[in-house]
């Protein structure tokens, strides 16, 4: 009888451990799913070489929205967290622009920094398919200001690229 109780207790412990492990994995999967959904929100930035971005702008007849940032820039981080992630901002920029961002201190950003000189970070450029700057704005922009900026650029250059 004693052996049966020990066996029952062991089975119960193994079952509980198994259940806790399954619950933890399900929670982890749910958390990862939420993180992916959060990343999908906001402005969708294209990762490609600059030459490819220009070709795409020409093919799609769109203006390029270019966020020139650095990894150490506080206002850049704030825009990434509080402005670019908003649905109202994304509605304007995902529809009307090809969105790109480059760290201006590494990779292709170094080359672009010589082509598009910077005075401060962040610098936001609106560029046509030929690589010509239509508008340049320096510094942190509120969501409302950024939306207004995007709309004003579209009105001034309605598909005139």
């Amino acid at each position: 009888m004693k052996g049966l109780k020990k066996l029952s207790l062991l089975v119960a412990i193994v079952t509980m451990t198994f259940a806790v492990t399954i619950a933890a994995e399900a929670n982890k999967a749910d958390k990862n799913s939420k993180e992916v959904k959060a990343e999908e929100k906001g402005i969708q930035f294209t990762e490609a070489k600059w030459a490819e971005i220009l070709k795409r702008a020409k093919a799609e007849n769109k203006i390029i929205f270019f966020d020139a940032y650095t990894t150490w820039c506080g206002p850049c981080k704030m825009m990434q967290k509080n402005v670019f992630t908003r649905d109202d901002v994304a509605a304007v920029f995902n529809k009307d622009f090809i969105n790109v961002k480059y760290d201006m201190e590494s990779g292709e950003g170094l080359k672009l920094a010589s082509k598009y000189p910077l005075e401060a970070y962040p610098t936001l450029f609106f560029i046509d398919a030929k690589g010509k700057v239509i508008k340049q704005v320096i510094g942190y922009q509120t969501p409302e200001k950024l939306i207004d900026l995007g709309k004003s650029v579209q009105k001034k250059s309605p598909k005139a690229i």
Side-chain angles (χ1 to χ4, degrees):
M1 193 73 167
K2 237 181 181 182
L4 189 57
K5 283 184 181 180
K6 284 183 180 180
L7 182 60
S8 295
L9 182 60
L10 181 62
V11 168
I13 290 171
V14 168
T15 303
M16 292 285 284
T17 303
F18 185 68
V20 167
T21 302
I22 289 174
E25 288 299 317
N27 188 27
K28 185 177 174 183
D30 186 46
K31 183 179 177 187
N32 288 341
S33 174
K34 286 178 185 173
E35 287 173 6
V36 167
K37 287 178 185 171
E39 289 172 9
E40 291 172 358
K41 289 180 69 170
I43 295 178
Q44 299 300 302
F45 288 96
T46 301
E47 291 184 23
K49 296 284 184 191
W50 185 245
E52 293 171 27
I53 298 296
L54 291 171
K55 285 179 190 174
R56 182 173 164 200
K58 186 174 183 175
E60 294 181 22
N61 201 27
K62 287 186 175 182
I63 295 169
I64 300 163
F65 170 63
F66 173 6
D67 171 30
Y69 74 96
T70 65
T71 57
W72 51 262
C73 167
C76 301
K77 292 176 185 179
M78 294 291 290
M79 284 195 71
Q80 180 59 48
K81 182 179 178 187
N82 300 325
V83 179
F84 296 159
T85 55
R86 289 189 34 159
D87 291 337
D88 54 346
V89 174
V92 172
F93 283 81
N94 291 341
K95 177 180 169 256
D96 295 328
F97 298 94
I98 295 174
N99 306 301
V100 297
K101 60 182 177 176
Y102 290 96
D103 177 353
M104 302 308 283
E105 296 184 331
S106 69
E108 196 168 14
L110 289 168
K111 184 174 133 186
L112 291 169
S114 64
K115 182 174 176 88
Y116 302 105
L118 303 159
E119 296 175 26
Y121 295 105
T123 298
L124 307 174
F125 294 101
F126 293 87
I127 300 173
D128 69 16
K130 294 176 183 168
K132 180 182 171 213
V133 176
I134 297 169
K135 186 155 186 85
Q136 177 179 348
V137 181
I138 297 171
Y140 180 88
Q141 304 297 307
T142 64
E144 296 77 18
K145 282 185 184 177
L146 190 59
I147 289 169
D148 289 346
L149 228 125
K151 288 180 178 178
S152 75
V153 167
Q154 284 297 341
K155 285 179 187 169
K156 288 179 186 173
S157 296
K159 308 300 179 193
I161 52 177

